[in-house]
Amino acid sequence: MGARHDHDGQELGDLEPGTRQRAQLRARVADIASTALCVVLALWAVWSVVGVVRGTAEWAYSVVACVLLAAALTARTASVRRGDVRSGR
């Protein structure tokens, strides 16, 4: 844990405004959300492709799932390259 800063004679908690943890919170939440979205879309894509192969699902669902997965992965990759989503450094 980093050193806590005094503000008006009181110690700040970990998620108080002005702390490093608070500044990193948005990036961490965005990272978790984009990872979860990519995982859900990947599962949907695999499930729909398996359904198409078995003949129990329409091919349109598979195409939509793959397109959404590609868009989510592209957005995640672009945000990582820009530095919007950073690890807990």
Side-chain angles (χ1 to χ4, degrees):
M1 291 259 161
R4 296 178 187 218
H5 304 286
D6 286 336
H7 187 284
D8 295 333
Q10 298 175 351
E11 285 189 2
L12 295 176
D14 286 342
L15 294 178
E16 296 284 335
T19 60
R20 194 168 104 184
Q21 289 85 357
R22 176 72 177 234
Q24 293 173 346
L25 182 61
R26 181 174 292 189
R28 289 179 185 169
V29 169
D31 185 39
I32 291 168
S34 64
T35 301
L37 176 65
C38 289
V39 167
V40 168
L41 289 174
L43 289 173
W44 181 29
V46 169
W47 186 282
S48 62
V49 167
V50 168
V52 168
V53 170
R54 288 184 175 176
T56 60
E58 297 290 325
W59 63 269
Y61 291 114
S62 177
V63 170
V64 169
C66 291
V67 167
L68 289 176
L69 178 60
L73 287 173
T74 302
R76 179 166 167 72
T77 303
S79 68
V80 168
R81 285 186 181 167
R82 280 190 316 230
D84 292 345
V85 179
R86 294 186 178 113
S87 63
R89 293 183 206 172

